[in-house]
Amino acid sequence: MMGNLLEHVGVERDRLHFSWISSAEATKFVDVVKEISDKVRALDTDKKFAKEYTK
Amino acid sequence: MDTCIEKIRAICADLLAKGEVQKVIGFAEGSIPMASRPIAVTSKDDVEKLVFNATCGLNLANYVSDALPKEGKIAVTAKGCDSRNLVTHMVENQVSRDRLYIIGVPCTGMVDKRKIAALFEDEITDFIEEGDTLTIVSAQKKEVVSKKDMLRHNCRMCTHRNPVVFDVMAAEPVAEQSLDQPFADVDQIAAMDPEARWAHFQELTKNCIRCYACRNACPLCYCPTCFVDESSPQWVGKGQDKTDINTFHFLRAFHCAGRCTDCGACVEACPMGINVRDFTRKLNKDALELFGWEAGLDMEKRPPLDVYSPDDPDDFIK
């Protein structure tokens, strides 16, 4: 529901991932992190929740 | 609906005189026309202060646990939505059923005060409700309108006008509505592309002054320390930065996931006229579609995000 609400307000769905990984599943962890990194990289830097600081 | 106030007063006077309840929570006339405010009555001599009309848009379930006397019972007048929030309070162990005396009030909806105010250029000086006819007066003119045309959006969309739990009813139940498209407003937003949706919510909350009236009016928000007030850690900035406003509205809404009864108290309380229900309505739609859940209807069931069931949708977990 959280992902749906984020998507509803216009945040890209691929920025939020849920996964169930056991502490014994090191390779799955690596795969999932790689997949997430790739997807988020493809979306570019998030501007929506980034504060604009005055220099 | 006006007619049942005499019955409400009689019930309350009787309860207080017999000492069955220590207090009654109801609505009283506000200081300006078209305003009503919550009141706690402790003496039968004060029951005349109680009113019930189409301006009683706040949710009285919000005041029950704070006003609960050390011993004995508290009575509360409850519209359909208030009663559902009382159920939520009981399910979430905020108050026990045996401390409550619920005076059920069948509801035909509350009026959208901003919509009425928009009919006038000057200040409204009088508001008279007779059945479905509303007569609103200002110094310049007098408008006679049908209450049906002036209902708040959540009241037009309401399918639980009658209290779901009560000890006594103040009037005969009213007919429930059935809707062809219960979430047309949500679908309309969902049909936009992501950037347009983002822009919609930015536009929606741009006037937010972070007064937290929406949170304070909400019967679901009873945490001793709200995440916005917490300073260690500070979850969200306290200023007018749009990122902080976004974070506040998003999280406030999500805390209501699977618990919101769409009572409209948040919108009623907002001094800036922000329809914060645009957030919670999406959650209500999802709760219904994913879990077949409408909040506050069943005393035996916990909210869907509170329990685990093997049938829970899990396609989002990879």
Side-chain angles (χ1 to χ4, degrees):
Chain A
M1 279 173 81
M2 180 158 215
N4 290 353
L5 183 62
L6 273 171
E7 196 172 6
H8 192 65
V9 302
V11 175
E12 299 88 346
R13 186 65 179 83
D14 276 349
R15 290 197 192 275
L16 183 67
H17 290 255
F18 294 90
S19 203
W20 182 264
I21 308 169
S22 154
S23 57
E25 295 176 307
T27 48
K28 183 179 175 189
F29 180 77
V30 172
D31 291 344
V32 169
V33 170
K34 269 187 186 153
E35 191 196 324
I36 294 172
S37 310
D38 289 344
K39 282 189 173 166
V40 174
R41 210 164 274 138
L43 290 169
D44 206 2
T45 315
D46 176 54
K47 302 265 186 339
K48 286 172 181 156
F49 277 91
K51 279 193 183 178
E52 289 163 26
Y53 289 101
T54 43
K55 279 171 196 163
Chain B
M1 201 151 67
D2 244 357
T3 53
C4 69
I5 184 60
E6 291 307 326
K7 182 99 186 271
I8 295 174
R9 286 177 184 155
I11 294 167
C12 295
D14 190 48
L15 288 170
L16 288 166
K18 285 183 182 155
E20 281 187 46
V21 302
Q22 311 298 313
K23 264 185 207 170
V24 174
I25 297 185
F27 286 101
E29 207 66 67
S31 51
I32 52 170
M34 234 173 33
S36 60
R37 59 190 173 89
I39 187 176
V41 174
T42 51
S43 154
K44 72 173 170 50
D45 305 327
D46 286 337
V47 295
E48 291 304 312
K49 288 181 184 168
L50 294 171
V51 297
F52 193 81
N53 54 42
T55 68
C56 299
L58 288 176
N59 192 323
L60 293 181
N62 191 25
Y63 309 97
V64 167
S65 31
D66 281 345
L68 199 65
K70 284 209 172 66
E71 280 172 18
K73 283 190 173 195
I74 192 162
V76 55
T77 56
K79 312 183 284 287
C81 45
D82 305 44
S83 77
R84 291 173 64 197
N85 279 103
L86 288 170
V87 169
T88 306
H89 270 229
M90 289 184 267
V91 167
E92 295 177 358
N93 299 321
Q94 293 305 302
V95 63
S96 69
R97 182 69 185 90
D98 54 16
R99 302 289 303 280
L100 286 179
Y101 190 95
I102 302 168
I103 304 164
V105 188
C107 176
T108 51
M110 295 293 148
V111 292
D112 183 336
K113 292 164 192 168
R114 285 179 186 273
K115 198 171 175 181
I116 291 177
L119 299 172
F120 293 85
E121 280 173 14
D122 56 342
E123 201 174 323
I124 291 165
T125 52
D126 204 6
F127 174 90
I128 305 145
E129 179 185 355
E130 279 164 297
D132 185 51
T133 312
L134 307 176
T135 310
I136 309 124
V137 187
S138 81
Q140 282 179 3
K141 62 174 178 174
K142 179 170 146 182
E143 287 271 357
V144 180
V145 290
S146 162
K147 181 178 136 182
K148 246 184 231 127
D149 299 331
M150 289 292 145
L151 287 183
R152 302 188 300 182
H153 181 263
N154 66 309
C155 296
R156 292 204 303 275
M157 294 287 127
C158 175
T159 54
H160 300 282
R161 296 165 140 191
N162 295 299
V164 295
V165 56
F166 55 86
D167 291 293
V168 64
M169 284 287 272
E172 290 297 313
V174 292
E176 295 286 4
Q177 321 186 84
S178 63
L179 305 167
D180 295 335
Q181 282 186 302
F183 292 103
D185 52 328
V186 182
D187 298 336
Q188 200 184 339
I189 296 172
M192 300 190 237
D193 64 52
E195 289 309 314
R197 291 201 295 269
W198 181 258
H200 169 82
F201 283 97
Q202 294 307 300
E203 183 65 22
L204 183 75
T205 56
K206 72 169 186 204
N207 289 333
C208 178
I209 54 171
R210 299 286 296 278
C211 68
Y212 304 139
C214 48
R215 173 201 68 180
N216 290 355
C218 180
L220 303 174
C221 287
Y222 53 68
C223 290
T225 306
C226 177
F227 76 99
V228 297
D229 298 325
E230 189 95 59
S231 56
S232 160
Q234 187 176 326
W235 304 106
V236 54
K238 295 177 190 297
Q240 293 291 104
D241 190 291
K242 66 181 173 57
T243 306
D244 297 325
I245 292 179
N246 288 335
T247 309
F248 163 63
H249 281 286
F250 187 85
L251 284 177
R252 184 201 72 83
F254 196 69
H255 288 173
C256 305
R259 304 165 67 224
C260 175
T261 60
D262 203 20
C263 70
C266 46
V267 176
E268 183 87 14
C270 179
M272 307 307 286
I274 300 170
N275 184 30
V276 291
R277 288 172 53 250
D278 271 357
F279 292 93
T280 46
R281 291 273 295 164
K282 167 64 178 166
L283 292 163
N284 290 3
K285 182 178 189 238
D286 281 356
L288 186 63
E289 286 175 359
L290 298 171
F291 299 97
W293 174 262
E294 286 181 284
L297 298 182
D298 194 333
M299 213 83 112
E300 306 300 319
K301 286 189 192 146
R302 296 198 61 86
L305 299 194
D306 219 46
V307 282
Y308 168 74
S309 156
D311 305 328
D312 285 346
D314 60 358
D315 54 349
F316 62 94
I317 299 178
K318 290 174 193 116

